[in-house]
Amino acid sequence: MTTGPTVEPVDASEVARRAQHEAEESFGESEPRLDTEEMILNVGPQHPATHGVFRLLATIDGEKLIHAEPIIGYMHRGYEKLVEQRDYRQITNLVSRMDWLSGINNELPLALALEKLMEIEVPPRATYLRVAMAEMNRILNHLMFFASFGAELGAITPTFYAFREREDIQLALEMATGGRMHFGFFRPGGLKEDVPAGFFDQALKGVRQVIERLNQYEDLLIGNEIFKQRTIDVGVLEKEVAYSYGVSGPIARGSDIDFDVRKDDPYLSYEDFDFEVCSAPNGDCFDRFWVLVHEVAESAKIVEQAIEGMPSGPIMGKVPRVVQAPKGEVYVRTENPLGELGMYLISDGDRTPYRLKIRTPSYSNVSALSHVLKDTYVSDMIAILGSFFFVLGDIDR
Amino acid sequence: MNAIVDFLGGDIVVTAIVKTVVAFAALLLTTLIVVWAERKVIADMQARIGPNRWGPYGILQTLADGIKLFFKEDFRPRTADKWTFALAPVLAMVPSLLAFAIVPIGDHITIGDRRIDLIVADLNIGILYFLAMGSIGVYGVVLAGWASGSKYPLLGGIRASAQMISYEIALGLSLVPVVLAAGSLSTVDIVAAQAGSVSNVSFFNGVPVLEQIAELFSFVPNWYIWSQWPAFFIFLIAGIAETNRAPFDLPEAETELIAGFHTEYSGIRFALFFLGEYVHVVIISAMAVTLFFGGWGGPKPDFLPWIWPIGWFVFKTGLFVYLFVWLRATMPRLRYDRLMWLGWKRLIPASLVWIMVTAVVNTEGVSRNARLVVFGILFVIVLFWLGKGDPRLTGAVTPQRRRVHGPS
């Protein structure tokens, strides 16, 4: 799907249509007919609905979208190569910039991989704090997509409500880490430092507010008749197709793939917590969005439980002064807000990884776009782009 | 003084000139305030502050924006059609302004021995004139999309032409029942026909108990909103679509078509489009008030009797402008095909049926308003039922699937 910018999208049906059109012309119809042709429209790299430098080469016939080809790579920063030159503590801050809406969730698999390789025991307090922070970050991420999806459909108000909710959680994370987007807080073995006094209160305040107000926001968007019309049965991603493209996260769960790494391959201490995996059967924009919104409530529940059951103790395991992974390889996967994030770390015993292959969720998810976008309307295209919840940095890294 | 008046062509011409200038200035000033008020109100609805730097409560913000736009570079794409590109914003702006001529904003004032009606021009074909101006305004948007020589504006222009033409029909048809009921195309006559109280208008004449009950409602004014409310809703929906505002802002559609038909416009030309849109909002609101809410009618205390009608008119119009803003803050954008479906398959047939109902009921004379109310309720129930019959409109909410424990 990554092709050069000059490739013309040629479709078998399109060729046939053109041939038929020319044939009709050459036989000389008695009635004059309107000469129509398809238009090639560049959606992006600068377009408000693409959240960054994502480009869609669309062939349109009036309002109908005949063919669309996603073109990525405008933001490639070569992280996988770059991390081979940096030591493990620096990498934490690099991977945090992949999916910039869920920085702390990106740091997690790296820390887990190193701990697995170096056989470090992580104290329970650190694990619980990690769960709480990862879930708070998930809420931040999901609320952002809640905001942008509404805005893309033309409803501007939910955007601001979502941002208001984000702010309290954002503040809590800021208290602990000092960052608002890139936290750099997870270290191999534990956390950078313990959370300050007042962190738990602020975090609880934030998530309880989200739980309390989420229903109203749901009514505002999901209950809206126009919203339903624009999302139900629009951009259906079938279960089999989702499997074949390796789609994961809320998008896969929207397509009836009931898979969540937190439940199916628990890491940290997710098996201690009581939460539900939301999935929906139809695979359209509505279901994807529905799953996204309901996951917010589940995450908020996890944060509450984690803070209420927070053990005391150290926040850092026994880690050597120099972080140096022994020779070997390890694969760790976690449930990033947007899907399954996998890190395959090969170490040759040095202070830097020999190779770090990162499997990012957005990359696999947008590869299914071309299939879903076929034969829709231009307005649907925007709804579908919005409901695919991708972050450009996560696609290109 | 008299010499000058005579030179200009006598009383009538001078009053006309004064009225025009005052109306023009007032309309522009209103627009400035409406733009500011919209930003403030929407900000409040969205838990924000809104403009607050320029003047008290940021009231001069629009002025500052206007000045900024005025001094910006007037950019024209190389592929644009030069003259059409320049003509389009004027065509979008001027007809909206002109349409205001037939809106009666008050009763009349007396200066010396001259009686001055508070309307720029009481045309005997006022409604027709209003529709004509709206139709010319469509050209501005369509030509802007076409002349920009760019793909997104073209899409916006196509959407605009389809949308505005189909909703123009519904708008025109929704006014016919009102004209039938009032028996005149003049806006002044229509306002006059709505004077008085509902209980005076042969509602339940001769029916013993109901007559007394009707008497209790004598404080309710005899506005057309009661007897013509299906027409009102059709007018309102079509009117919102006419102004290209949410949820019918498809020609603009920021997140889909960048800025739709005015993507390539900047500076003062963009300002003209912008102004045209807001003037249009004011006009549609003013027309809704004039046609269905008794225009300037309202209680008139003795103190300064000429100012109360103006006050009522401004107040009612303001409520409608607020409704426009409210809708924008609440609604997502409709999809193109749904818009066409609503326009052609619902609004236009509905307005045709309602015209027939009004025409039939009106021929019978006695207690027609009561009949119209009954018919209106039946009519809307049928419409509602028709709407519910469409499976895509009912859109059942997804059944929930949740898994609580353990791997699948």
Side-chain angles (χ1 to χ4, degrees):
Chain A
M1 74 174 239
T2 37
T3 47
T6 50
V7 176
E8 283 268 330
V10 180
D11 196 22
S13 60
E14 195 189 323
V15 172
R17 189 169 28 245
R18 279 184 185 159
Q20 192 196 356
H21 185 68
E22 274 166 24
E24 281 169 1
E25 292 256 299
S26 60
F27 279 115
E29 295 229 340
S30 52
E31 269 179 55
R33 52 171 42 237
L34 210 57
D35 187 28
T36 62
E37 60 181 52
E38 279 122 25
M39 185 162 90
I40 291 181
L41 187 71
N42 262 312
V43 183
Q46 299 292 330
H47 187 281
T50 57
H51 309 275
V53 282
F54 179 75
R55 181 170 162 219
L56 207 63
L57 198 62
T59 315
I60 57 172
D61 177 12
E63 283 278 323
K64 271 228 157 89
L65 195 72
I66 291 165
H67 181 88
E69 190 182 355
I71 297 169
I72 61 171
Y74 287 93
M75 236 190 120
H76 189 63
R77 290 152 295 173
Y79 277 178
E80 286 185 16
K81 193 69 194 165
L82 194 59
V83 296
E84 291 169 18
Q85 311 298 323
R86 299 283 184 275
D87 77 39
Y88 286 113
R89 282 175 189 168
Q90 292 170 311
I91 294 174
T92 310
N93 286 325
L94 272 180
V95 292
S96 140
R97 277 152 179 78
M98 289 188 317
D99 173 359
W100 51 67
L101 290 179
S102 30
I104 225 159
N105 275 295
N106 294 342
E107 296 162 16
L108 185 59
L110 183 77
L112 289 176
L114 278 169
E115 282 150 16
K116 217 167 171 182
L117 213 52
M118 296 167 73
E119 287 164 357
I120 303 169
E121 187 100 352
V122 183
R125 185 175 170 82
T127 309
Y128 265 62
L129 272 172
R130 277 178 175 183
V131 170
M133 288 179 140
E135 292 307 316
M136 279 158 77
N137 196 211
R138 190 186 308 277
I139 297 174
L140 289 184
N141 176 300
H142 281 5
L143 281 178
M144 179 67 103
F145 281 104
F146 172 83
S148 73
F149 191 53
E152 263 144 34
L153 294 182
I156 42 177
T157 308
T159 313
F160 293 98
Y161 290 162
F163 271 83
R164 183 179 62 184
E165 291 337 302
R166 276 168 60 90
E167 201 51 38
D168 281 309
I169 301 174
Q170 203 56 276
L171 263 178
L173 284 174
E174 204 179 332
M175 277 166 82
T177 67
R180 284 175 68 87
M181 277 180 97
H182 306 303
F183 306 101
F185 201 60
F186 290 178
R187 299 289 152 87
L191 306 173
K192 184 180 157 210
E193 60 199 18
D194 206 343
V195 290
F199 169 81
F200 294 130
D201 291 339
Q202 178 70 27
L204 277 180
K205 184 186 154 209
V207 293
R208 280 185 181 145
Q209 201 162 298
V210 167
I211 294 174
E212 193 188 312
R213 290 188 180 156
L214 204 62
N215 287 333
Q216 296 173 24
Y217 299 162
E218 254 189 271
D219 288 348
L220 186 65
L221 260 185
I222 292 184
N224 190 304
E225 206 67 56
I226 300 176
F227 179 84
K228 282 187 202 164
Q229 283 179 15
R230 290 208 50 183
T231 51
I232 288 177
D233 286 340
V234 169
V236 177
L237 176 67
E238 298 86 358
K239 192 174 181 179
E240 296 73 32
V241 181
Y243 267 128
S244 68
Y245 278 103
V247 173
S248 56
I251 305 171
R253 287 192 283 277
S255 292
D256 206 15
I257 297 177
D258 185 16
F259 178 78
D260 190 323
V261 185
R262 292 177 294 174
K263 271 275 195 248
D264 295 297
D265 185 10
Y267 53 99
L268 291 178
S269 52
Y270 274 112
E271 62 267 31
D272 296 356
F273 300 113
D274 171 33
F275 68 100
E276 294 168 5
V277 179
C278 309
S279 65
N282 300 320
D284 53 13
C285 291
F286 184 89
D287 281 14
R288 288 192 278 275
F289 187 70
W290 185 89
V291 168
L292 183 95
V293 173
H294 283 79
E295 274 184 18
V296 176
E298 297 304 318
S299 292
K301 263 163 63 183
I302 299 177
V303 177
E304 269 192 320
Q305 291 170 42
I307 289 177
E308 274 155 15
M310 185 66 64
S312 55
I315 45 95
M316 198 69 179
K318 277 206 172 76
V319 184
R321 199 160 279 274
V322 178
V323 181
Q324 202 165 0
K327 206 168 159 66
E329 32 183 277
V330 62
Y331 180 72
V332 169
R333 58 176 180 175
T334 60
E335 184 73 22
N336 211 47
L338 301 178
E340 184 185 328
L341 176 64
M343 286 200 185
Y344 187 49
L345 177 68
I346 305 177
S347 166
D348 56 357
D350 210 347
R351 274 194 242 172
T352 60
Y354 174 74
R355 175 85 168 93
L356 180 67
K357 167 77 181 98
I358 306 167
R359 183 247 188 246
T360 52
S362 295
Y363 183 82
S364 308
N365 290 354
V366 294
S367 60
L369 259 182
S370 196
H371 171 83
V372 176
L373 280 173
K374 228 176 168 70
D375 293 324
T376 47
Y377 288 98
V378 172
S379 320
D380 288 346
M381 172 181 84
I382 305 303
I384 293 167
L385 280 178
S387 74
F388 258 74
F389 315 129
F390 56 84
V391 170
L392 253 292
D394 205 28
I395 299 173
D396 285 344
R397 20 181 219 295
Chain B
M1 183 67 194
N2 277 334
I4 300 170
V5 170
D6 287 341
F7 174 73
L8 285 171
D11 267 4
I12 299 171
V13 177
V14 172
T15 357
I17 291 171
V18 171
K19 273 186 197 169
T20 313
V21 171
V22 170
F24 179 71
L27 197 54
L28 284 189
L29 194 68
T30 316
T31 317
L32 287 186
I33 293 169
V34 165
V35 173
W36 166 80
E38 171 175 41
R39 293 177 65 173
K40 269 301 200 197
V41 169
I42 281 205
D44 193 44
M45 287 175 177
Q46 296 174 344
R48 296 184 287 125
I49 297 168
N52 65 346
R53 297 287 107 176
W54 268 93
Y57 302 99
I59 198 162
L60 296 178
Q61 182 66 45
T62 328
L63 203 62
D65 286 346
I67 293 169
K68 183 205 77 173
L69 285 171
F70 195 78
F71 287 108
K72 262 178 95 169
E73 184 194 354
D74 181 27
F75 179 78
R76 183 168 53 85
R78 191 164 41 82
T79 47
D81 186 318
K82 196 175 170 190
W83 293 108
T84 326
F85 188 79
L87 178 69
V90 179
L91 269 184
M93 163 85 183
V94 172
S96 315
L97 282 173
L98 288 179
F100 199 69
I102 50 113
V103 177
I105 56 165
D107 193 0
H108 62 86
I109 51 175
T110 322
I111 300 174
D113 54 348
R114 290 194 199 109
R115 176 198 151 108
I116 299 172
D117 291 317
L118 291 177
I119 177 172
V120 175
D122 175 19
L123 300 180
N124 53 4
I125 48 152
I127 300 295
L128 224 52
Y129 172 83
F130 163 72
L131 290 172
M133 286 303 133
S135 307
I136 294 174
V138 181
Y139 281 102
V141 176
V142 175
L143 288 181
W146 182 251
S148 294
S150 170
K151 285 176 179 175
Y152 285 107
L154 181 64
L155 279 175
I158 294 170
R159 281 182 175 192
S161 53
Q163 170 183 337
M164 294 171 93
I165 288 169
S166 39
Y167 278 78
E168 193 95 338
I169 298 172
L171 188 77
L173 291 177
S174 73
L175 297 183
V176 175
V178 177
V179 173
L180 279 176
S184 168
L185 278 165
S186 151
T187 44
V188 172
D189 291 349
I190 290 174
V191 171
Q194 299 178 61
S197 147
V198 275
S199 45
N200 298 346
V201 201
S202 61
F203 231 66
F204 299 107
N205 274 0
V207 189
V209 185
L210 292 180
E211 207 173 23
Q212 268 97 52
I213 294 175
E215 205 57 38
L216 292 176
F217 290 95
S218 57
F219 65 91
V220 179
N222 181 34
W223 294 344
Y224 280 143
I225 177 69
W226 310 125
S227 55
Q228 289 291 343
W229 57 280
F232 167 70
F233 283 109
I234 296 166
F235 173 82
L236 193 66
I237 294 171
I240 297 166
E242 270 290 290
T243 56
N244 286 337
R245 284 179 59 89
F248 301 100
D249 57 346
L250 281 93
E252 266 184 65
E254 289 141 37
T255 44
E256 290 168 29
L257 304 178
I258 323 296
F261 64 90
H262 61 64
T263 306
E264 303 290 354
Y265 281 89
S266 59
I268 193 69
R269 288 190 180 147
F270 165 73
L272 285 183
F273 275 120
F274 192 74
L275 215 58
E277 181 187 318
Y278 281 89
V279 172
H280 215 135
V281 168
V282 175
I283 299 288
I284 294 287
S285 307
M287 282 308 280
V289 168
T290 305
L291 297 171
F292 297 100
F293 285 84
W296 43 261
K300 218 194 285 188
D302 287 336
F303 174 71
L304 283 181
W306 60 274
I307 210 166
W308 289 93
I310 300 178
W312 282 115
F313 177 79
V314 170
F315 173 69
K316 290 177 195 170
T317 310
L319 285 184
F320 272 96
V321 173
Y322 184 85
L323 179 74
F324 271 85
V325 175
W326 193 2
L327 281 175
R328 185 176 163 209
T330 318
M331 292 288 184
R333 191 177 303 118
L334 274 171
R335 206 172 66 190
Y336 187 69
D337 58 326
R338 302 298 301 174
L339 182 91
M340 289 294 134
W341 173 87
L342 180 67
W344 287 97
K345 292 195 176 164
R346 289 293 173 268
L347 292 186
I348 292 177
S351 44
L352 282 173
V353 171
W354 186 245
I355 289 172
M356 281 193 277
V357 170
T358 311
V360 168
V361 172
N362 262 351
T363 52
E364 304 206 349
V366 192
S367 74
R368 62 188 191 205
N369 283 352
R371 280 159 198 262
L372 273 177
V373 172
V374 174
F375 274 117
I377 292 166
L378 285 177
F379 179 72
V380 170
I381 288 171
V382 170
L383 263 192
F384 192 69
W385 178 72
L386 278 179
K388 281 291 168 201
D390 184 43
R392 291 162 78 192
L393 199 71
T394 39
V397 172
T398 318
Q400 302 187 4
R401 290 204 182 160
R402 283 150 176 264
R403 180 157 55 91
V404 185
H405 293 296
S408 53

